[in-house]
Amino acid sequence: MRIGYVGLGNMGTPIFLNLVEYCRQNDLPAPCAWNIDQSRYEEIQARDNRMELKRELVEVVGQSDILFTCLLNDPVAEDVYRQLFASGHADGVIFVDQSSLKPKTSGGSSIPIGLTPVKLETLAKEANASYLAAPVFGRPDAAAAATLVQVLAGSAEAKKVVSPIIVPAVAKRIVDAGEDAAKGVLEPG
């Protein structure tokens, strides 16, 4: 099993480093990652050199069976995922989207008009991949300690594959939100 990660920000970096350690402890191949801002690659690699930090986004999906993402916002998530799905390498990959995506609303209305996880789940199916809406709850220090709370919404089959990795590598517990990816979004307040 090959693990990839996209989005090495304040939450993504400690989560990825925990996945690096998980791979080491379980004799899995060294995971790979990509970030749009690659200026921190040297700093991240200095913490643990058993990883591959990629220059191109599509390299990560081509080397992953499970690909975690932790992206800034809905537009970034949609752009990154469109590139990943269009790469020709998404077939069979399980995408675990740890971004905190929100339902989009129009004109102050509380009626969701374009749930990003629903769009991404549809694009994943078209690419013969699986998509899990999987926001994490906790601060960066909880990410470093692998004590986050991880929500999983989407395919039951995909959740069975990733759950034994998430606990213990990422979170202290999982909240199963069912098979509807839309349940893995933050509702407008």
Side-chain angles (χ1 to χ4, degrees):
M1 182 174 318
R2 301 169 306 157
I3 294 174
Y5 207 94
V6 172
L8 300 174
N10 290 337
M11 294 294 284
T13 296
I15 293 170
F16 175 64
L17 290 171
N18 287 339
L19 289 166
V20 170
E21 183 59 27
Y22 176 87
C23 289
R24 174 184 289 112
Q25 291 175 358
N26 291 279
D27 295 320
L28 295 173
C32 61
W34 176 86
N35 197 60
I36 194 165
D37 176 6
Q38 298 175 1
S39 64
R40 295 185 54 218
Y41 275 13
E42 192 173 310
E43 170 196 339
I44 293 167
Q45 197 127 37
R47 295 187 204 176
D48 190 323
N49 65 0
R50 193 177 180 274
M51 65 181 76
E52 295 179 42
L53 299 176
K54 300 297 185 181
R55 297 288 170 206
E56 302 296 327
L57 175 61
V58 297
E59 292 178 281
V60 177
V61 71
Q63 293 184 11
S64 301
D65 300 307
I66 299 171
L67 181 54
F68 291 84
T69 62
C70 191
L71 303 166
L72 183 61
N73 56 37
D74 294 43
V76 170
E78 288 184 24
D79 178 56
V80 166
Y81 271 98
R82 286 185 193 282
Q83 291 179 60
L84 291 170
F85 296 143
S87 71
H89 300 292
D91 186 20
V93 175
I94 299 172
F95 292 90
V96 183
D97 189 0
Q98 297 178 312
S99 313
S100 295
L101 303 179
K102 300 172 186 72
K104 295 178 184 175
T105 58
S106 174
S109 167
S110 63
I111 300 169
I113 60 167
L115 295 175
T116 296
V118 173
K119 287 181 188 176
L120 298 179
E121 184 177 44
T122 300
L123 291 172
K125 286 178 181 174
E126 291 171 2
N128 197 33
S130 298
Y131 173 84
L132 296 174
V136 292
F137 294 90
R139 298 174 39 86
D141 57 329
T147 58
L148 296 167
V149 173
Q150 174 82 66
V151 173
L152 288 179
S155 160
E157 234 177 85
K159 287 188 281 190
K160 283 180 190 174
V161 173
V162 302
S163 292
I165 297 168
I166 290 172
V167 174
V170 175
K172 63 182 176 183
R173 74 182 179 103
I174 293 171
V175 176
D176 188 334
E179 293 200 38
D180 181 357
K183 301 293 185 191
V185 298
L186 300 175
E187 294 296 331

